């Protein structure tokens, strides 16, 4: 099955790419530039159709859909935003009326859910099993305790952390395929689809574009990019992998991609600082604390955005060595790991399609010890 933006050969194209994942005024300016810049660089006959919208739930991002060389109107984009709004409200971990909230409230008993939520939870469970619980959608009590990205963000006492850790355990989630129900074993357990829902929503958006016969498009959901088809000239899209350095908006590397999701999990997305230490939003379910393993970001490239989203979070928790080992067992899935010392590890399948674009970052070579 990254946090990035797509680029072409030039800085101008990188600016387009950023239109998706970045903030405020810069994003709006990039959006305005987008049609013009790509018109010049891609040799498109037609102006791209582009639309952005803010979503507040687990998607929690401005999503931008851009269709290139397309004369079929805005209908597929409107359909995508309608679908995204639906997923946002049904899969939110914050809203009290979402399906994860209903499962959490009903902990101890089975709760029936929609088919897609059931399928997503079942897939999340597979990733949990494959990663020894590095990815765990029952991590919600830990996420809530730390409150990263909310006004309640704080470093909790060890006793509080120990208490919530008891409520975490993917192996205490039961799924009933026939009843399409999900049961958390104990009261106090809670679900959080924040590490995977955006990827799923992105796959659904791709499906809508394919059904509409859109051949060239970029979906940018703030760090979850999907490069649909190729560029209008038939060459692969060039997706810029965002610099994980806090406060920087540029990219440090470029991936060539066609019909691929490029999804990044990084410390820079949501964090707070106390006593000079940064606490981010990716939790280690075993310690009940933000992962502290000298990584800054992990980017996964896969045909499935759902998989790329789950694995970017999972591999961040696993760390570079175990994460790469895991990825090498999965055909068609690639990864880029960036350490605090700006060393970059890539999986073997990326050797011909990843390019470093920032001299401060150093690719770890085959002959070098990881
Ligand atoms: P992402 O940005 O895709 O890495 O997802 C991070 C979000 O996933 C967090 O904001 C939490 O809601 C949730 N999360 C944090 N740690 C984990 C974990 N170890 N496994 C699954 N979900 C997590
Ligand atoms: Mg994720």
């Amino acid at each position: 099955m990254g946090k990035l933006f797509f680029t072409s050969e030039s800085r101008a194209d990188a600016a387009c790419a950023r239109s998706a994942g970045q903030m405020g005024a810069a994003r709006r300016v990039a959006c305005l530039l987008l049609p013009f810049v790509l018109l010049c660089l891609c040799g498109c006959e037609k102006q791209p159709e582009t639309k952005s919208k803010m979503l507040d739930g687990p998607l929690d991002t401005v999503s931008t859909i851009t269709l290139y060389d397309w004369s079929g109107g805005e209908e597929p984009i409107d359909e995508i935003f309608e679908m995204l709004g639906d997923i946002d409200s049904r899969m939110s971990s914050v809203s009290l009326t979402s399906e994860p909230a209903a499962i959490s409230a009903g902990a101890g008993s089975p709760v029936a859910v929609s088919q897609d939520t059931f399928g997503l939870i079942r897939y999340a469970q597979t990733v949990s099993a494959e990663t020894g619980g590095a990815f765990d959608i029952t991590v919600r009590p830990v996420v809530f305790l730390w409150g990263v990205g909310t006004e309640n963000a704080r470093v909790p006492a060890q006793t509080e952390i120990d208490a919530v850790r008891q409520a975490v355990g993917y192996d205490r989630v039961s799924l009933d395929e026939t009843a399409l129900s999900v049961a958390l074993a104990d009261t106090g357990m809670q679900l959080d689809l924040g590490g995977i829902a955006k990827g799923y929503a992105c796959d659904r958006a791709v499906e809508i574009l394919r059904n509409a016969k859109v051949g060239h498009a970029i979906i940018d959901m703030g760090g979850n990019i999907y490069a649909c088809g190729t560029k209008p000239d038939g060459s692969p899209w060039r997706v810029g992998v965002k610099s994980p350095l806090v406060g920087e908006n540029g990219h440090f590397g470029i991936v060539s991609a066609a019909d691929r999701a490029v999804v990044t999990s990084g410390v820079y997305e949501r964090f707070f600082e106390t006593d000079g230490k940064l606490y981010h939003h990716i939790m280690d379910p075993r310690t009940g604390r933000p992962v502290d393993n000298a990584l800054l970001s992990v980017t996964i490239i896969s045909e499935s955005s759902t998989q790329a989203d789950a694995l970017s979070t999972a591999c961040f928790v696993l760390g570079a060595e175990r994460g790469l080992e895991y990825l090498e067992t999965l055909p068609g899935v690639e990864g880029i790991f960036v350490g605090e010392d700006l060393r970059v590890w890539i999986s073997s399948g990326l050797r011909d399609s990843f390019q470093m674009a920032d001299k401060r970052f150093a690719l770890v070579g085959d002959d070098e010890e990881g």
Side-chain angles (χ1 to χ4, degrees), residues 258-308:
D259 284 319
R260 285 288 179 279
V262 185
V263 179
T264 303
S265 289
V267 299
Y268 58 84
E269 296 172 85
R270 248 174 284 159
F271 63 88
F272 67 94
E273 270 180 281
T274 298
D275 297 332
K277 189 165 164 52
L278 183 148
Y279 298 92
H280 59 83
H281 71 310
I282 305 163
M283 298 294 162
D284 186 334
R286 292 157 297 191
T287 63
R289 294 173 167 274
V291 175
D292 190 5
N293 62 5
L295 277 185
L296 291 182
S297 72
V298 176
T299 299
I300 303 290
I301 298 104
S302 162
E303 198 177 352
S304 157
S305 178
T306 307
Q307 184 185 38

Side-chain angles (χ1 to χ4, degrees), residues 67-215:
L67 316 182
Y68 297 90
D69 219 4
W70 172 250
S71 43
E74 292 183 354
E75 223 170 274
I77 304 188
D78 293 340
E79 194 183 333
I80 287 173
F81 281 124
E82 203 170 305
M83 175 278 296
L84 293 180
D86 169 57
I87 290 184
D88 218 25
S89 60
R90 282 192 300 114
M91 298 191 179
S92 168
S93 22
V94 185
S95 154
L96 296 175
T97 55
S98 71
E99 294 182 291
I103 296 167
S104 304
S109 315
V111 175
V113 293
S114 57
Q115 192 142 20
D116 57 351
T117 299
F118 185 88
L120 193 59
I121 292 174
R122 186 178 47 198
Y123 176 64
Q125 290 292 92
T126 309
V127 176
S128 298
E130 286 178 5
T131 60
F135 188 77
D136 190 330
I137 54 172
T138 68
V139 78
R140 174 79 193 149
V142 174
V143 171
F144 185 75
L145 177 67
W146 286 81
V148 181
T150 74
E151 56 191 21
N152 302 319
R154 68 186 175 96
V155 180
Q158 188 59 44
T159 47
E160 295 176 281
I161 294 171
D162 291 341
V164 294
R165 269 175 50 208
Q166 308 301 316
V168 179
Y170 73 93
D171 50 352
R172 286 182 283 147
V173 179
S174 312
L175 302 180
D176 182 332
E177 300 270 349
T178 315
L180 286 186
S181 66
V182 181
L184 303 179
D186 306 305
T187 342
M189 289 182 73
Q190 289 176 26
L191 281 197
D192 185 336
L193 298 180
I196 192 171
K198 216 196 283 187
Y200 171 70
C202 193
D203 279 334
R204 290 280 307 276
V206 171
E207 201 179 292
I208 290 172
L209 294 181
R210 287 191 181 139
N211 287 341
K213 305 271 186 280
V214 172

